[in-house]
Each structure stands twice: as structure tokens, then as C-alpha cells.
Amino acid sequence: MCADLAQNGLLMTHVVGLFAKDQPIQSTWQTLTAPVAPPWQDVEVLDMNHSFAPEFTRHFEFRTLGPLPYSNSPESNLGYLRPHTRVTRRDAGHVCALIDVWWLAASR
């Protein structure tokens, strides 16, 4: 199920719901557990207004729980990201921007 909620001609929310019967799966290959993160509001905003940060990143709010990129840390990075301005179109360009804005997974 998919629903778009609009107000005054502006898209306010896009909701996707998937309803399915729970399928018991006997898997032994998955050994990773999902990380536990605090609520996004409790994580400090990272200042991206520095010369080392690409111009593109200054349009987003970063809240990181892990090491900064290229810090040579073996720890995983976890965090939250949101644009500074309200997004009115969620098209292919928007998805590409979201994929590209967070730093590389392999930045050691």
C-alpha cells in the first residue's frame, strides 16, 4: 500500500506499508545484529561549514555516531541525515543525492 498525503497542494508525507504473513526462516548465515542508535534528536549536529567538506554536504544536516571519514578507525559509522530545506520532489535525482551525500562506507 502506498499513500501520499498533501496539504495546500504540497506533498507533506509519503507512506509505504507492506503487510505480509510472518515467514519462519531457519537461517544460520546471518551473524550481524542491527546497531542500536539513540533517537536522532539526541545526536549532536555535525558542523559541515569547513573547507574540508564538499559544498554539496552543506545542504544537509549530519548527525553521526561513528568516526569521521578517513580517520583510520576500524569502527562502523552510524548516523542520521536530512536536508536543510524541505524536499518537494522525491524523484531519481533526490534518491541519487541521498546515496551520494553520506560518506563512503570504505573511507579508511
Side-chain angles (χ1 to χ4, degrees):
M1 180 187 315
C2 177
D4 287 339
L5 304 177
Q7 184 176 17
N8 297 327
L10 295 174
L11 181 64
M12 302 302 282
T13 267
H14 176 74
V15 180
V16 176
L18 177 63
F19 306 95
K21 182 180 175 186
D22 189 23
Q23 300 291 323
I25 298 174
Q26 302 295 331
S27 67
T28 57
W29 61 270
Q30 178 59 281
T31 59
L32 299 175
T33 56
V36 177
W40 67 271
Q41 301 94 327
D42 296 344
V43 181
E44 186 177 338
V45 176
L46 184 63
D47 181 12
M48 296 303 286
N49 292 315
H50 293 285
S51 60
F52 69 84
E55 179 69 30
F56 185 70
T57 61
R58 296 180 189 146
H59 300 282
F60 291 86
E61 178 181 285
F62 289 82
R63 296 173 185 255
T64 182
L65 295 163
L68 292 176
Y70 306 107
S71 62
N72 203 25
S73 174
E75 294 179 43
S76 298
N77 186 280
L78 177 66
Y80 300 96
L81 174 76
R82 73 176 178 170
H84 285 301
T85 58
R86 181 183 202 161
V87 176
T88 57
R89 288 182 58 189
R90 290 175 175 88
D91 55 8
H94 174 73
V95 172
C96 289
L98 292 177
I99 291 169
D100 194 42
V101 73
W102 196 262
W103 36 82
L104 301 172
S107 60
R108 294 180 352 118

